[in-house]
Amino acid sequence: MARAATTSDAFNAVAEPRRREILEYLATSERQVGEIVIALRLEQPSVSKHLRVLRDVGLVRSRRNGRHMLYQTNANALRPLHEWTSTFEKLWTHQLNRVKERAEQKELEKIYVNPKKEKDEREPS
């Protein structure tokens, strides 16, 4: 099955790491293309291309301010991405809690199974 075009939806658009960087940079305030180029050390044509893709799928809003275009992340359009990934966040949290519990259990076993050795290791010679 062929991969969908990057302009088809938000999921495909954010698959590209540089677009994610741009979204993150634009999350705090409106920026001109030149500011993005300097801050992220990308070429201007590349930034413009990425902004077009992000704007086409609705992840970035733009507005004209005199001669300049200003761009900012459209937080509302990110909601479906957030909702989808939150499903996996529950899984990650559960897995990390299991790892933590297992590590704590191993530590307790070390102390109670061989307390003399543990005590000797803590005391300086």
Side-chain angles (χ1 to χ4, degrees):
M1 178 182 217
R3 184 176 159 184
T6 57
T7 58
S8 65
D9 64 45
F11 290 94
N12 284 306
V14 298
E16 214 289 325
R18 284 172 220 80
R19 289 191 196 115
R20 292 192 303 269
E21 282 182 85
I22 291 169
L23 281 172
E24 189 174 336
Y25 184 66
L26 294 175
T28 56
S29 66
E30 291 180 315
R31 311 277 184 170
Q32 295 177 27
V33 172
E35 293 176 83
I36 301 166
V37 167
I38 292 167
L40 301 181
R41 296 184 175 150
L42 299 170
E43 297 294 322
Q44 187 274 325
S46 175
V47 169
S48 293
K49 179 178 145 187
H50 290 309
L51 283 170
R52 184 165 36 91
V53 170
L54 292 168
R55 198 176 60 227
D56 287 351
V57 297
L59 294 177
V60 166
R61 290 186 303 240
S62 63
R63 73 175 182 90
R64 183 166 293 285
N65 183 20
R67 296 182 336 175
H68 303 285
M69 289 296 289
L70 298 172
Y71 299 88
Q72 186 167 23
T73 299
N74 178 4
N76 289 335
L78 289 170
R79 185 175 307 280
L81 295 169
H82 174 70
E83 290 171 354
W84 184 75
T85 57
S86 69
T87 302
F88 299 99
E89 183 179 5
K90 294 170 191 162
L91 173 66
W92 299 326
T93 302
H94 176 71
Q95 293 293 75
L96 289 173
N97 285 338
R98 288 183 57 200
V99 168
K100 179 182 175 213
E101 289 168 6
R102 180 137 171 103
E104 289 169 347
Q105 183 63 37
K106 287 286 188 188
E107 189 63 30
L108 288 173
E109 288 173 5
K110 228 167 61 173
I111 292 169
Y112 290 112
V113 170
N114 199 348
K116 173 86 171 103
K117 182 179 176 187
E118 183 71 22
K119 184 179 177 190
D120 291 343
E121 288 174 0
R122 284 187 272 166
E123 292 178 0
S125 299

